[in-house]
Amino acid sequence: MGSIWELDFYSRPILDENHKKVWELLVCQSPGDIRTKPESLFRYAKYCPSTQVNSVWLRKALEEAIEQAGETPVKIRFFRRQMNNMITKACQDISIPAQPSRRILVLHQWLKQRMVEVYPQAPGYQEGTNPSVRLDNPLPQRLPDALEGQQWVFVSLSAAEFAEMPEWEIGFGEAFPLELANISPETSIPGVLIFSPRALPIAGWMSGLELACLNFDSQQGDRLILETGASESWILANIKNPQTLVKAQEYEKAKQQANGVHFIGIQSDPQADSFTGFWLLKDFNFA
């Protein structure tokens, strides 16, 4: 499988000589693997005049990035829904699928770094004018009927144990190097394991959803909410048992202590030696 790219194309807190917002394209490679060295990931940045913000400019810039990278990505992730039409059109014109997604850890950190270290040094910088990210918050959906009624359990692993992840037998899945999350090897990383004889179709279904994070929602009836895509969410489980409720609260606390890092694993049964699906996830604030 080829590489996946993360993309942002939006205005920056910089004004040009005509007092118009300067736009910028950022493209970076998703890590995909826990062994990936962050410094080895491809990155591309290019400013765009406000008078040229369109899918044609974006397509040409992406072609330039592809030439620099020496490869064409198999998919491009983007998180700004308001840019959906322009990004999708530019990607279609070069035959690359574009996918709304919050699985943009490298891009998110790069944007934060540029907001602090790069844009303030640019001529025309306007402090406090960084546009926020608007995310829709539709109601969580029910899981498809064929995926309901699964057995699941809260578990945890130390960060150090993930060093062996490349040796695990995993069908569908994705991970990232833990150094991107700035946690120690002793950090406990919480997760949820799902057991089902239908493990394969469940993992296959999840693999097409652009998994973002798994949250315990205590505000809307004590439930596990699977966040996917740019704004979609699914009710993974309603929690009624008091003991399970305590574990759910501990799960959310452990996730915060692990800087948002957590995981979802799918197995056919608790005795299985392999994972039909396994995703390392990270929750973070898009504001």
Side-chain angles (χ1 to χ4, degrees):
M1 180 178 177
S3 64
I4 297 173
W5 285 4
E6 304 167 9
L7 178 153
D8 186 38
F9 184 46
Y10 211 66
S11 61
R12 301 299 185 225
I14 303 170
L15 299 182
D16 63 18
E17 60 274 11
N18 296 316
H19 301 285
K20 301 293 185 181
K21 278 286 185 69
V22 173
W23 282 57
E24 182 184 45
L25 169 64
L26 292 181
V27 171
C28 58
Q29 183 181 352
S30 287
D33 192 292
I34 201 163
R35 296 168 294 186
T36 303
K37 298 298 182 183
E39 61 271 16
S40 71
L41 296 172
F42 173 72
R43 298 185 183 214
Y44 173 91
K46 186 173 185 178
Y47 287 121
C48 173
S50 60
T51 55
Q52 297 183 42
V53 176
N54 54 52
S55 63
V56 175
W57 186 96
L58 180 56
R59 172 183 59 81
K60 292 179 179 178
L62 284 173
E63 289 173 334
E64 184 178 293
I66 290 170
E67 183 177 358
Q68 287 189 17
E71 66 169 351
T72 300
V74 298
K75 177 170 65 177
I76 291 179
R77 293 170 167 151
F78 67 95
F79 66 98
R80 295 190 196 268
R81 291 296 296 268
Q82 60 266 50
M83 299 301 297
N84 180 82
N85 292 342
M86 191 181 299
I87 293 174
T88 300
K89 177 65 167 60
C91 291
Q92 283 178 343
D93 288 347
I94 51 177
S95 301
I96 301 174
Q99 184 71 52
S101 176
R102 281 169 283 180
R103 194 175 180 87
I104 48 134
L105 174 59
V106 177
L107 178 61
H108 182 261
Q109 292 188 348
W110 193 19
L111 264 172
K112 288 177 62 178
Q113 177 259 326
R114 292 179 71 80
M115 287 295 178
V116 174
E117 301 177 8
V118 177
Y119 307 141
Q121 310 305 318
Y125 172 68
Q126 300 291 302
E127 185 176 3
T129 60
N130 175 41
S132 63
V133 179
R134 301 195 312 271
L135 292 178
D136 299 327
N137 291 297
L139 292 174
Q141 306 171 68
R142 283 186 53 195
L143 286 176
D145 290 341
L147 305 181
E148 289 187 342
Q150 311 305 320
Q151 179 187 356
W152 57 273
V153 63
F154 289 110
V155 294
S156 65
L157 294 169
S158 70
E161 291 179 274
F162 280 87
E164 299 178 2
M165 189 175 175
E167 311 302 322
W168 302 349
E169 184 180 341
I170 298 173
F172 298 93
E174 191 172 352
F176 54 83
L178 288 176
E179 58 191 283
L180 286 174
N182 192 29
I183 55 178
S184 67
E186 297 77 25
T187 302
S188 177
I189 298 179
V192 168
L193 290 182
I194 300 172
F195 306 113
S196 172
R198 299 190 299 276
L200 184 58
I202 293 174
W205 176 78
M206 283 191 174
S207 71
L209 290 181
E210 288 293 319
L211 302 190
C213 56
L214 180 64
N215 296 325
F216 168 59
D217 178 13
S218 60
Q219 305 299 316
Q220 303 292 329
D222 295 334
R223 54 193 185 175
L224 284 178
I225 302 296
L226 180 64
E227 305 282 351
T228 67
S231 60
E232 295 78 25
S233 59
W234 307 80
I235 303 173
L236 189 66
N238 289 293
I239 301 176
K240 306 295 185 183
N241 184 288
Q243 292 180 332
T244 307
L245 181 58
V246 171
K247 291 181 179 179
Q249 294 166 340
E250 293 173 346
Y251 160 84
E252 196 64 29
K253 182 178 179 180
K255 189 172 66 169
Q256 294 173 7
Q257 293 173 340
N259 285 347
V261 180
H262 56 295
F263 63 89
I264 297 176
I266 301 174
Q267 295 180 298
S268 56
D269 60 74
Q271 285 72 46
D273 294 327
S274 61
F275 293 97
T276 311
F278 193 98
W279 290 267
L280 190 59
L281 309 171
K282 189 177 189 305
D283 196 3
F284 50 79
N285 184 6
F286 277 84

